[in-house]
Amino acid sequence: MKKRSARNKRAKKNKWARAGVHILFWCFSLLLAYLWISLEDAGESGQFAKFVIHTVILSNLFGLFSILLGIGFAGFAAYKLITRTAYDPKKTILYSIPLFVFFVGLGAFLTKDLSKNMMDVKHYVTGHIVEERVVITHFTIYENNHGEDGYEYTFSDGRTFYENHEGNGFDDITVGQAYVIRYLPETPKLLSIKPAE
């Protein structure tokens, strides 16, 4: 009888723990959705935060996870070898090196322009943002892969500039008018666009 009551108590605890995880997940998801919506009108800092969240982290999530997994395998093997707790040191080395190479290589393959993205993060933090006066000769709004509005700007010098995230003033464009745009130099990620004075 005691075994059954202990089992029932554990089952109830596990049930509440699972429910707590689900509630925590949904609260975190709602918080992220609220933050994402509030970043629309946050200006340059909001556009940069969207760039970091979406382009740097989420687009490269599997690659970063794979790289961290490879480093974790190598670190665990090194720990076992240094503390002399590895059951068979030769096998530990034999298995850890190919796993490290595989997961780090897979991570490098799965990351999309991570070096350029990290350079743009550095440029933003150090204040190296390109500011340019341009005349927009063609402007198109399209729907991007995420269901948001995307923007295509063609300048008087023939360059075409794409922006895949909504932003404050990104769609308030008059063709033929001069604008001051600020963007990150490597990707190029549009941070702000304002009419030139």
Side-chain angles (χ1 to χ4, degrees):
M1 194 62 149
K2 286 184 179 181
K3 287 184 179 180
R4 184 176 292 168
S5 66
R7 208 177 295 148
N8 288 341
K9 285 181 183 179
R10 267 188 266 133
K12 284 182 181 178
K13 283 183 182 179
N14 288 340
K15 179 181 175 182
W16 285 108
R18 277 185 269 143
V21 168
H22 288 287
I23 291 169
L24 187 64
F25 171 77
W26 285 109
C27 288
F28 184 70
S29 298
L30 289 173
L31 177 67
L32 281 179
Y34 171 75
L35 287 174
W36 190 263
I37 291 169
S38 66
L39 290 175
E40 294 294 324
D41 298 324
E44 286 187 7
S45 60
Q47 290 302 314
F48 178 71
K50 285 169 72 172
F51 169 73
V52 169
I53 291 168
H54 182 267
T55 308
V56 177
I57 296 173
L58 292 180
S59 294
N60 297 307
L61 189 64
F62 292 119
L64 292 173
F65 178 73
S66 181
I67 290 171
L68 289 176
L69 192 62
I71 292 171
F73 276 125
F76 182 72
Y79 169 76
K80 287 294 203 178
L81 292 171
I82 290 170
T83 60
R84 298 181 190 269
T85 56
Y87 179 71
D88 187 359
K90 289 180 184 176
K91 282 188 178 178
T92 303
I93 293 172
L94 186 67
Y95 291 137
S96 65
I97 290 174
L99 286 173
F100 172 77
V101 170
F102 173 75
F103 282 110
V104 170
L106 180 66
F109 176 73
L110 290 176
T111 55
K112 301 174 186 171
D113 296 328
L114 187 60
S115 60
K116 285 184 177 181
N117 294 339
M118 295 309 292
M119 287 298 294
D120 271 344
V121 169
K122 178 185 166 206
H123 289 315
Y124 184 83
V125 170
T126 59
H128 184 258
I129 299 170
V130 178
E131 182 171 317
E132 198 174 330
R133 187 176 194 272
V134 296
V135 175
I136 297 177
T137 58
H138 180 72
F139 172 65
T140 306
I141 299 176
Y142 61 92
E143 187 173 314
N144 65 15
N145 298 339
H146 313 291
E148 292 183 331
D149 286 342
Y151 309 102
E152 178 184 342
Y153 308 95
T154 304
F155 304 140
S156 58
D157 60 2
R159 289 181 297 156
T160 302
F161 200 96
Y162 297 96
E163 177 55 45
N164 287 320
H165 297 290
E166 296 176 359
N168 195 7
F170 287 7
D171 59 350
D172 191 20
I173 301 297
T174 305
V175 174
Q177 186 174 346
Y179 289 89
V180 175
I181 61 170
R182 290 174 50 90
Y183 62 92
L184 298 172
E186 298 289 331
T187 35
K189 164 69 178 133
L190 186 62
L191 297 174
S192 69
I193 184 165
K194 296 176 183 171
E197 297 177 8

